[in-house]
Amino acid sequence: MKKYVVILVVAAGLMACGHGRQKEVERFRMKVRSQFLEEKLAEAQQELARTDSIMQQRGSDVDATPGYQDSLEMAADVQGAQIRYIHKKQKEIQ
């Protein structure tokens, strides 16, 4: 009987150590995910700024090809949606 109590105490101790480690790993994962989202947000914002700049240049041109303008608008919409999605995921982390 004493042997089983010792085994249970040792097992409980090991589980407690593992639980602390699990929380540490989870905090690390959240930190890395947060940094990843920040980097992706910066990239998406730069890309949207580039696309917007091109759209403004093309908008002032009278000879602008309508199909090209449409594709730029679609790209800007997709990039805007990507930025909104990243913001949503950042709020979920907090």
Side-chain angles (χ1 to χ4, degrees):
M1 179 73 168
K2 193 173 186 182
K3 189 189 247 182
Y4 295 115
V5 172
V6 171
I7 292 173
L8 287 175
V9 170
V10 170
L14 290 174
M15 287 175 52
C17 291
H19 185 65
R21 176 77 174 143
Q22 184 179 2
K23 285 186 178 184
E24 182 181 324
V25 168
E26 185 64 28
R27 280 192 299 269
F28 177 75
R29 285 182 61 233
M30 295 303 277
K31 182 179 176 182
V32 169
R33 185 175 183 195
S34 176
Q35 290 173 350
F36 174 77
L37 287 174
E38 287 175 17
E39 290 173 11
K40 286 297 182 183
L41 179 61
E43 290 174 12
Q45 288 172 336
Q46 288 176 351
E47 187 65 30
L48 181 59
R50 258 184 262 131
T51 303
D52 186 51
S53 174
I54 294 170
M55 284 175 55
Q56 288 178 2
Q57 289 173 351
R58 289 290 179 170
S60 63
D61 292 342
V62 177
D63 299 331
T65 307
Y68 185 68
Q69 188 70 21
D70 291 344
S71 66
L72 286 173
E73 289 174 6
M74 183 178 290
D77 289 343
V78 169
Q79 291 159 356
Q82 183 181 16
I83 290 170
R84 287 190 299 276
Y85 181 77
I86 292 170
H87 282 300
K88 178 183 172 185
K89 288 300 179 181
Q90 286 177 330
K91 285 181 183 178
E92 288 177 6
I93 289 176
Q94 297 172 356

